Amino acid sequence: MKRIGIFVCHCGNNIAGTLDIDRVVEAIREFPEVVYAIDYKYMCSDPGQQLIREHILEDQLDAVIVAACSPSMHETTFRRTAEAAGINPYQTEIANIREQASWVHQKQQEAATNKAIETIRTIVAKAHYNQSLMPFYLPLVKRSLVIGGGIAGMQAALDIADAGYPVVLVEKADRLGGRMAELSGLYLDSDAAADPLGQKIKAVTHHPNIQVITQAAITEVGGYVGNFTVQIEQRTASPADQDPAGELVPYSFDIGAIVVATGYDLYDKKNLGEYGGGRYPDVIDGLQLEEMLRPDGPTGGRIVRPSDGKVPKEMVWVQCAGSRDPELHKPYCSKVCCMYVAKQSMAYKQQVPDGQATVFYIDIRSQGKDYEEYVQRAMEEHDVLYIRGKASKVFQENGHVTVWGVDTLTGLPLEVEADLVVLATAIVPRADAQELGQRLRVGTDEHGFLSEAHPKLRPVESLTAGVFLAGAAHFPKDIPETVAQASGAASKVLSLFSQRQMVQEPTIAFVDPELCSGCGLCIPACPYDARSMHEWQHIAVVNTALCQGCGACAMVCPNKACRVRNLTQGQILSMMEAYL
């Protein structure tokens, strides 16, 4: 028989505001094997953890159950606390009585209290069968791969390389810089004399710890966190080559961690038939205007009409062109459009002071330091006319591009004859994002962007251990947010590389060879490719480095040979019996 101690957390009023804590503690003291039970206002605090350590020693506890919040919040905290007092950390369990009882039944105190008691009862039944586990130790290759040479990829590469670790930076274009290199300037500091992107590229290309491979693609990724094997193909070409496509040069690297920073594409304006996208030469997208505004662009920095090369006297920007349109196009906000439209309209007014700049918008979303003031400058200092109302149609007539819309503030229909129309089109994932995601075993969301493991608690990690996300490959974001996320991803890589060897959680799947029939059903069921057939025995085996302990294999195994340590079928049945 185990000696189990239970520690009930008030979580301030998050739990105690709904549950009758005194009745919970009184009830659980009667459970079999429970030798001690107490409550405290904040168990995760230093005094709360000290309370746990003291009673582990005083009451000679074999197992600890903390009735508190979700295990994803503080399971590691309480495992370390128990381990410091001499208990195997995997003899520590969390009974979630906050999210699963208090929060979801705030107006039902009696029912919520009873549910909390029964929840703890099931965890006691599970703890009875918990084994004392030891983590696995795996070798660790301290070299990182960064996919994408835009501002996100370069920032991540520099942060990792500056810490002394080698980096392989792969870019499919023939130059570094990504989309930022296509911009004429940045909002807030578009007139700055410094060249921040050029300085960043120089720092990357001259860094002794960074190997840059341009015109290259990832062809194959194998292995697992700390021990990836990556195949790369680089397309090279020289004037003497007979084949204009060049020849493919293969590379192979052993990699410990991967940062994906592949950037974004723009929603093809040809999809915007209602706005004349792809039909009229004087209807362009934001990047086409950026190309005009660049001093090294085809027009030498001058804004002109593509149809005849004349300077436009009337310009119209259509915001949310393809964004925030769940019925026809993309339902999400592309985030940067409001700001670059303000930048472009001010640049136009500086070039053509007597010209008219008009912006059709749904809402202005200027989220960032000094962003709102920047948009106000466009309105107040440069006389850019902002009309609240989405344009309904764009068509060509009498040598002009006519824009129909409605001013929703006055309710009046509008018709603007423009010389040039700029569509602030939606930001979408790169065309090859899904294919790359499949190679890396990284999922994508419903829009095709790479998915993070958790939007709040693990925002730069993917569900595949050792693969991290940065920049617009994850979702639309501007340059400051992109740089911050890139540094966040780099810090995760450095945290991994700071270990002498890699530690793997032991609460993963295993196979009982006496029960396994070798049917192979568990292999396609595993979402992490952690299952395979033994080389010479007719049984399934588990790659301990890849397994995430999800239990999908246990669900499909007809013989119950697949199990998850400390969450076996016997434990689940004992929890059900305790509840019933």
Side-chain angles (χ1 to χ4, degrees):
M1 295 288 287
K2 285 187 175 178
R3 296 177 62 82
I4 300 175
I6 302 182
F7 301 85
V8 181
C9 181
H10 292 213
C11 197
N13 286 325
N14 282 299
I15 295 175
T18 301
L19 305 184
D20 184 341
I21 297 294
D22 291 337
R23 190 156 72 82
V24 170
V25 174
E26 182 180 351
I28 61 180
R29 281 177 177 154
E30 305 301 321
F31 292 172
E33 299 184 275
V34 175
V35 298
Y36 185 80
I38 193 173
D39 62 285
Y40 188 73
K41 193 170 182 65
Y42 292 105
M43 278 296 172
C44 61
S45 66
D46 288 342
Q49 293 182 57
Q50 181 60 31
L51 183 68
I52 295 173
R53 287 191 291 265
E54 289 175 356
H55 285 283
I56 287 174
L57 299 174
E58 289 178 12
D59 297 285
Q60 299 181 339
L61 302 179
D62 300 319
V64 167
I65 296 173
V66 182
C69 55
S70 165
S72 63
M73 292 292 292
H74 286 301
E75 185 174 58
T76 302
T77 300
F78 294 123
R79 280 180 175 175
R80 289 172 178 168
T81 300
E83 186 177 27
I87 290 183
N88 183 281
Y90 299 98
Q91 295 290 352
T92 303
E93 290 285 348
I94 306 292
N96 185 353
I97 62 171
R98 188 180 73 174
E99 285 85 344
Q100 295 180 357
S102 174
W103 278 3
V104 293
H105 305 293
Q106 292 184 10
K107 297 181 180 179
Q108 301 167 293
Q109 185 184 46
E110 180 69 18
T113 300
N114 291 335
K115 183 177 181 180
I117 293 170
E118 296 307 317
T119 298
I120 298 171
R121 189 194 303 276
T122 63
I123 300 300
V124 171
K126 177 181 184 295
H128 173 78
Y129 295 100
N130 273 353
Q131 295 179 327
S132 295
L133 305 176
M134 294 297 293
F136 299 102
Y137 293 95
L138 304 168
L140 176 60
V141 176
K142 296 186 179 182
R143 178 192 292 113
S144 64
L145 169 70
V146 177
I147 307 174
I151 187 62
M154 291 192 294
Q155 183 65 49
L158 283 170
D159 287 350
I160 298 168
D162 285 345
Y165 298 105
V167 179
V168 178
L169 176 60
V170 175
E171 167 56 47
K172 72 176 184 178
D174 59 358
R175 56 162 178 79
L176 297 179
R179 291 295 186 192
M180 188 173 171
E182 300 177 26
L183 304 181
S184 61
L186 310 180
Y187 45 78
L188 298 188
D189 59 352
S190 59
D191 297 326
D195 178 12
L197 182 64
Q199 294 173 6
K200 193 76 71 176
I201 293 173
K202 184 178 180 180
V204 168
T205 54
H206 289 80
H207 203 293
N209 289 333
I210 300 178
Q211 179 180 353
V212 178
I213 307 176
T214 56
Q215 293 184 284
I218 309 299
T219 58
E220 187 177 341
V221 179
Y224 47 86
V225 56
N227 292 272
F228 293 108
T229 301
V230 180
Q231 307 295 328
I232 300 169
E233 282 187 348
Q234 182 184 33
R235 188 172 295 279
T236 61
S238 68
D241 286 335
Q242 297 297 319
D243 181 4
E247 72 173 300
L248 295 176
V249 178
Y251 291 85
S252 180
F253 294 96
D254 293 327
I255 297 293
I258 299 172
V259 177
V260 187
T262 49
Y264 68 91
D265 283 333
L266 285 186
Y267 191 52
D268 194 337
K269 62 179 183 294
K270 292 180 181 178
N271 296 322
L272 300 165
E274 65 272 32
Y275 294 146
R279 285 190 291 163
Y280 309 134
D282 295 332
V283 176
I284 63 176
D285 63 36
L287 282 179
Q288 288 177 282
L289 183 58
E290 290 290 328
E291 187 178 30
M292 287 188 199
L293 288 168
R294 287 205 322 268
D296 61 345
T299 63
R302 295 172 57 249
I303 299 176
V304 298
R305 288 174 24 131
S307 62
D308 57 15
K310 293 181 179 180
V311 175
K313 292 297 184 179
E314 179 96 27
M315 280 192 67
V316 171
W317 281 262
V318 178
Q319 294 199 168
C320 301
S323 296
R324 301 178 64 188
D325 190 344
E327 295 181 355
L328 298 176
H329 303 292
K330 303 298 179 182
Y332 53 83
C333 170
S334 292
K335 198 166 187 177
V336 301
C337 314
C338 290
M339 298 304 298
Y340 78 67
V341 165
K343 179 196 76 171
Q344 291 178 348
S345 62
M346 284 192 279
Y348 168 71
K349 290 291 289 185
Q350 288 171 346
Q351 282 194 24
V352 189
D354 60 339
Q356 176 60 55
T358 303
V359 177
F360 282 89
Y361 72 99
I362 301 176
D363 299 295
I364 300 298
R365 294 185 170 181
S366 49
Q367 42 190 340
K369 183 181 179 182
D370 297 329
Y371 283 17
E372 177 63 21
E373 292 78 5
Y374 187 78
V375 175
Q376 289 298 320
R377 276 178 52 199
M379 300 179 188
E380 296 170 3
E381 297 179 19
H382 297 272
D383 296 324
V384 178
L385 176 61
Y386 274 75
I387 298 174
R388 190 177 187 276
K390 193 169 183 177
S392 58
K393 187 178 180 179
V394 177
F395 58 96
Q396 192 162 306
E397 188 177 62
N398 300 325
H400 294 279
V401 182
T402 302
V403 182
W404 282 356
V406 174
D407 186 339
T408 58
L409 296 179
T410 64
L412 297 176
L414 294 174
E415 181 177 306
V416 180
E417 289 190 353
D419 298 312
L420 184 61
V421 173
V422 182
L423 304 180
T425 50
I427 285 178
V428 297
R430 286 278 192 179
D432 57 354
Q434 188 167 12
E435 181 184 354
L436 179 62
Q438 290 172 349
R439 284 202 177 98
L440 297 172
R441 298 188 296 274
V442 174
T444 54
D445 63 16
E446 66 270 29
H447 312 302
F449 292 102
L450 300 178
S451 296
E452 73 280 13
H454 191 285
K456 295 186 182 296
L457 303 179
R458 298 170 65 191
V460 301
E461 301 173 60
S462 73
L463 282 173
T464 297
V467 179
F468 307 98
L469 312 177
H474 169 235
F475 204 67
K477 50 181 65 70
D478 65 3
I479 291 171
E481 189 177 354
T482 291
V483 170
Q485 189 183 19
S487 290
S491 71
K492 287 291 184 180
V493 173
L494 296 178
S495 176
L496 176 65
F497 287 179
S498 67
Q499 304 174 56
R500 185 172 301 176
Q501 53 188 348
M502 199 168 58
V503 180
Q504 169 73 357
E505 280 288 314
T507 51
I508 58 174
F510 68 100
V511 176
D512 186 339
E514 298 295 326
L515 297 178
C516 181
S517 65
C519 67
L521 290 176
C522 59
I523 295 174
C526 178
Y528 303 101
D529 291 337
R531 311 292 296 224
S532 61
M533 295 300 295
H534 193 277
E535 291 182 358
W536 53 271
Q537 288 182 294
H538 193 59
I539 60 171
V541 293
V542 180
N543 185 324
T544 56
L546 290 176
C547 181
Q548 300 292 308
C550 68
C553 55
M555 294 295 294
V556 301
C557 181
N559 294 350
K560 306 304 178 189
C562 295
R563 305 173 191 173
V564 177
R565 288 185 171 87
N566 281 355
L567 193 61
T568 62
Q569 289 92 342
Q571 286 179 289
I572 294 172
L573 289 173
S574 71
M575 294 169 72
M576 294 175 63
E577 288 174 358
Y579 179 76
L580 297 174

